[in-house]
């Protein structure tokens, strides 16, 4: 995509994503970018987020809460999703790429990757549950 027009708004969206570790939804990105670009629409933010995902500069985190969460960290890593507050947290853990081989064992096609997320209670919700 060499003919992609440079967009200051897209750059601002990307910069914002890089500063966040909490995997914001399009709404959260919109509410923050709007402070800098008051005329931007949610649709524009959404289009730019999708574009960043398409060109590999952001990833969409698959979760079960129905909202799309975006991540500026495109290095392979695993996510945890809290079933109570829906927060999305990066997990520091060893690489489990061997599950591709596990999956390939009884499969005649070619496994090229996997998408895995972990779920349960985040530390904050766990503390609340204790009290
Ligand atoms: Zn939680
Ligand atoms: Zn992440």
């Amino acid at each position: 995509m060499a003919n992609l027009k440079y967009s200051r708004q897209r750059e601002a969206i990307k910069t914002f994503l890089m500063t966040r570790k909490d995997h914001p939804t399009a709404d959260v990105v919109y509410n923050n970018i709007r402070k800098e670009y008051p005329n931007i629409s949610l649709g524009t933010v959404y289009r730019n987020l999708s574009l960043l995902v398409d060109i590999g500069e952001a990833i969409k985190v698959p979760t079960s809460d129905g909202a799309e969460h975006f991540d500026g960290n495109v290095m392979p890593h695993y996510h945890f999703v809290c079933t109570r507050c829906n927060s999305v947290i990066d997990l520091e853990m060893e690489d489990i790429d061997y599950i591709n081989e596990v999956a390939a064992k009884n499969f005649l096609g070619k496994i090229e990757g996997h998408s895995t997320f972990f779920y349960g209670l985040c530390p904050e919700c766990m503390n609340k549950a204790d009290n």
Side-chain angles (χ1 to χ4, degrees), residues 37-87:
Y37 296 95
N39 297 322
I40 201 165
S41 70
L42 179 59
T44 301
V45 168
Y46 199 80
R47 261 198 313 281
N48 278 296
L49 283 168
S50 299
L51 188 65
L52 286 171
V53 171
D54 285 348
I55 62 179
E57 294 192 9
I59 55 171
K60 214 182 268 181
V61 184
T63 69
S64 55
D65 69 354
E68 290 183 316
H69 295 259
F70 294 90
D71 194 347
N73 176 10
V74 295
M75 297 299 288
H77 62 285
Y78 291 97
H79 292 108
F80 170 89
V81 181
C82 179
T83 52
R84 191 162 300 173
C85 70
N86 289 324
S87 61

Side-chain angles (χ1 to χ4, degrees), residues 78 96-105 111-115:
Y78 291 97
I96 53 168
D97 270 355
Y98 66 87
I99 71 170
N100 289 343
E101 284 155 44
V102 176
K105 210 170 266 177
I111 305 271
E112 293 181 327
H114 63 272
S115 159

Side-chain angles (χ1 to χ4, degrees), residues 1-6 10 55:
M1 288 213 200
N3 60 352
L4 257 189
K5 251 200 330 196
Y6 174 79
R10 188 168 64 243
I55 62 179

